[in-house]
Amino acid sequence: MRILMVDDDEEILLVAAFALGQDPRFAAVFTAQGGASGLEVARTEAPELILTDFRMAGLDGLQLMKAIRTLPGMAMTPVIFCTGKRQPEFLRNCLEAGAAGIICKPFHPLTLADDVFRIVRDGNILVPERYGN
Amino acid sequence: MNRHGQAKPPRIAGVQTSSGGAMDKLREFYLGKLGGRIDALEMAKSELAQSPARAWESLELIAHSLKGSGTTYGFPEISEAAGALEESLPETRAETLNRLLRVLHGIRDSASKQKTSILIVEDDPVNALILKETLSAPDRDIHIAETGEQARKLIGGQVYSVILLDLMLPDMDGRSFLMRLRENPKTAFLPVLVLSGKLGELTKRECLSLGADAFIQKPIDHEAIRTAVDSAVRQGARGPGLEPPKESWTPVSGTIGGTPPQTHPILVVDDDPLIAKIIRHRLEKEGYRTLWFADGEAALNAIQSQSFLMAILDVKMPMMDGFELLGRIREFPATLALPILILTSLGKEQDVSRGFDLGANDYLAKPFSPVELLARVRNLLRMK
């Protein structure tokens, strides 16, 4: 599976590329810094799965998802939000807008790949924060 | 934008339970960036009084980003303090900002203070614990391995400053463990203190010749061992590092110890700076002077302009290989009788016979034990 990770933060991209990159289930891991760059990579690489931050300067996660939906062949590509927001209303809005699921930030680098697959395969739409509070 | 397409990094074994070296590197990277974050927060803080709205804009961005990344990188206290700032009300803002700054400063300071790691290889748990207790200090990580195999695994995973080695291990003799340590470039220079209940000058001499830095008799005198470890830690901090010399690849000369030239040096020609360093370190510890060249051409030039005690040549080198160099050395009347030891790769018998045909006096197969190297050097020089 070819996955694209979009985030404003270089540190997050780096750790995600590391965490996803070593999982053999992913044939390729693309990262893009910011929504605009994410859209561009989505267009050129046609990933099968997209993991994106919600709050980003310029194009935010929701806008990015809507833009990606208009790309040829990507109307159904699962988009997972990776966000620090916890408000139930916000989460519901994301899902209603068509997100495949939500992974709460801060994510755990060693469970990120499994969490992504849990959403895609099991339809488990909300992965709570992995570090008890 | 970064792309990690096609070229996937290799899967790291056991990633589900341990983060491995790559995660440590990522953490280092993250810590390296903290300084910039601290500066940006300080700047926003100074603006907070005059233009609170603008300052808050950048503060909130940084706080949001730190909240999302801190825990992921193993610093939950960053996420927690940054989260508090992100959700803070204007009247508590300055206070929560200060708390976040304190957390960041604390993490950066403790990261910059390098911890010393000490490995105790000792099968007796009571002895190991007493040693650990004796040597413990806030800036020290002390690990215990009960078997040689456990120790080998630990050493593979991280860098130690000092190793304390019991000679009687359940799965192997401490001496063979020590020899293996010395053969591994990563641990060739690591200070090793041998602990032994065996009385005897012979064992002691044997260990020291195998490369032990000190020999400590059991029962252990706590004060003595503390002093020995402290001095080994200090020595390790300024001992020969494993980085190749900066001026490598071009002729490099000189001695590590800077001893005055009393005899002719031993010529070492090896394109691998690390191997060269190990060889030179061992030879110089025995009192020999050495001169190292990374390529054959430069070595040939040196041979024509000065005398050497003997030469140690690596066979496999780019440009001019050891055989060609050997043949050329034998062309000069002055070096017709120079004792020459060649370093071959294990399992290449044809190299050995070719070397002898070209005039080598002895050979050593890589990977070699430093002890054997010294024995062969002594032998060649005796025959001279």
Side-chain angles (χ1 to χ4, degrees):
Chain A
M1 189 167 254
R2 294 150 50 81
I3 186 168
L4 164 65
M5 168 89 185
V6 187
D7 202 300
D8 260 355
D9 250 313
E10 191 190 357
E11 286 96 332
I12 291 291
L13 290 177
L14 205 72
V15 78
F18 159 70
L20 301 172
Q22 62 183 351
D23 194 299
R25 291 172 293 187
F26 296 110
V29 178
F30 303 97
T31 60
Q33 197 167 3
S37 165
L39 183 59
E40 187 49 37
V41 179
R43 196 197 311 276
T44 53
E45 302 294 345
E48 297 155 274
L49 181 64
I50 292 156
L51 188 60
T52 178
D53 185 21
F54 185 81
R55 180 178 154 169
M56 294 184 290
L59 218 55
D60 71 19
L62 212 53
Q63 290 165 320
L64 174 66
M65 178 169 73
K66 283 179 181 154
I68 283 173
R69 294 267 178 264
T70 67
L71 293 176
M74 297 196 70
M76 303 295 285
T77 305
V79 174
I80 298 170
F81 286 132
C82 194
T83 173
K85 289 196 173 207
R86 300 280 194 285
Q87 294 83 341
E89 196 181 333
F90 164 79
L91 301 178
R92 197 166 341 119
N93 285 345
C94 289
L95 296 173
E96 274 171 10
I102 291 151
I103 292 174
C104 283
K105 263 191 191 173
F107 62 81
H108 195 300
L110 299 183
T111 60
L112 182 63
D114 283 340
D115 291 343
V116 166
F117 274 90
R118 194 153 295 135
I119 289 173
V120 176
R121 294 276 154 80
D122 310 345
N124 188 346
I125 50 174
L126 179 70
V127 177
E129 197 189 332
R130 285 296 191 168
Y131 303 81
N133 282 319
Chain B
M1 177 187 70
N2 306 304
R3 290 191 199 180
H4 300 261
Q6 286 67 41
K8 266 169 63 78
R11 183 172 172 79
I12 292 166
V15 70
Q16 295 310 322
T17 50
S18 90
S19 48
M23 197 57 216
D24 290 342
K25 285 222 177 69
L26 286 171
R27 271 175 76 115
E28 240 170 71
F29 166 83
Y30 189 72
L31 288 168
K33 291 229 152 189
L34 277 189
R37 293 279 166 80
I38 291 174
D39 293 346
L41 285 172
E42 296 277 13
M43 204 181 334
K45 182 181 160 185
S46 65
E47 283 176 2
L48 204 53
Q50 290 98 337
S51 48
R54 218 183 66 188
W56 175 238
E57 215 172 279
S58 49
L59 277 179
E60 199 213 355
L61 264 178
I62 303 169
H64 180 76
S65 147
L66 286 173
K67 183 180 108 183
S69 60
T71 307
T72 295
Y73 277 89
F75 303 105
E77 59 275 41
I78 293 183
S79 283
E80 196 270 322
L85 176 61
E86 195 188 9
E87 275 146 40
S88 66
L89 301 168
E91 51 270 28
T92 57
R93 211 151 269 171
E95 192 190 313
T96 47
L97 171 59
N98 281 335
R99 188 159 72 86
L100 174 61
L101 278 167
R102 270 200 304 278
V103 167
L104 293 177
H105 276 295
I107 286 174
R108 194 177 59 162
D109 291 350
S110 64
S112 65
K113 239 184 274 151
Q114 243 192 350
K115 272 208 165 187
T116 305
S117 295
I118 297 175
L119 177 63
I120 300 172
V121 190
E122 162 72 87
D123 60 326
D124 181 336
V126 177
N127 273 346
L129 271 180
I130 293 175
L131 275 172
K132 187 175 177 174
E133 205 50 48
T134 307
L135 299 174
S136 82
D139 61 341
R140 278 182 185 167
D141 274 338
I142 302 181
H143 300 162
I144 295 173
E146 286 175 19
T147 64
E149 184 54 26
Q150 255 181 36
R152 199 184 57 77
K153 280 192 185 137
L154 284 171
I155 291 165
Q158 78 162 97
V159 179
Y160 286 98
S161 309
V162 182
I163 293 183
L164 278 87
L165 176 66
D166 180 26
L167 273 191
M168 306 263 274
L169 297 174
D171 56 341
M172 66 176 79
D173 188 292
R175 281 166 293 195
S176 39
F177 184 78
L178 177 58
M179 205 160 98
R180 282 198 219 164
L181 278 181
R182 290 315 185 210
E183 286 166 11
N184 177 355
K186 200 178 154 191
T187 53
F189 303 120
L190 187 68
V192 176
L193 313 182
V194 168
L195 311 170
S196 173
K198 281 186 193 160
L199 294 163
E201 194 56 27
L202 199 63
T203 322
K204 180 174 175 177
R205 270 220 303 265
E206 197 183 353
C207 289
L208 293 176
S209 85
L210 282 170
D213 292 82
F215 188 84
I216 296 159
Q217 212 106 31
K218 286 182 185 173
I220 288 155
D221 171 350
H222 294 259
E223 205 43 57
I225 191 125
R226 235 193 316 258
T227 315
V229 167
D230 288 350
S231 108
V233 167
R234 277 197 304 277
Q235 178 211 326
R238 59 178 160 73
L242 286 181
E243 308 78 36
K246 284 187 186 69
E247 65 276 43
S248 62
W249 311 120
T250 45
V252 175
S253 61
T255 54
I256 292 176
T259 42
Q262 286 142 353
T263 60
H264 299 310
I266 294 177
L267 174 69
V268 179
V269 189
D270 196 315
D271 61 312
D272 185 339
L274 192 60
I275 303 272
K277 201 158 196 173
I278 294 176
I279 295 173
R280 297 178 68 197
H281 180 70
R282 283 290 148 200
L283 291 173
E284 287 173 11
K285 233 178 153 179
E286 291 293 298
Y288 298 108
R289 291 173 58 232
T290 66
L291 201 53
W292 167 49
F293 293 95
D295 73 281
E297 201 65 54
L300 264 185
N301 285 336
I303 269 185
Q304 292 170 71
S305 59
Q306 76 167 100
S307 303
F308 290 96
L309 210 53
M310 62 169 290
I312 298 174
L313 315 178
D314 184 23
V315 164
K316 215 174 138 250
M317 289 190 292
M319 314 292 282
M320 187 192 294
D321 71 10
F323 294 125
E324 193 187 340
L325 178 59
L326 178 56
R328 301 269 298 270
I329 290 176
R330 289 301 187 223
E331 282 171 13
F332 301 112
T335 51
L336 218 48
L338 180 75
I340 296 179
L341 175 91
I342 57 168
L343 303 174
T344 63
S345 298
L346 199 63
K348 291 217 164 173
E349 284 80 10
Q350 68 273 28
D351 281 1
V352 175
S353 94
R354 191 174 161 204
F356 280 129
D357 287 345
L358 284 167
N361 302 85
D362 201 357
Y363 80 99
L364 201 54
K366 281 182 183 178
F368 55 83
S369 110
V371 179
E372 190 179 349
L373 170 77
L374 285 177
R376 289 188 186 272
V377 165
R378 273 197 302 270
N379 196 35
L380 279 176
L381 293 176
R382 233 190 342 262
M383 288 196 301
K384 190 178 175 178

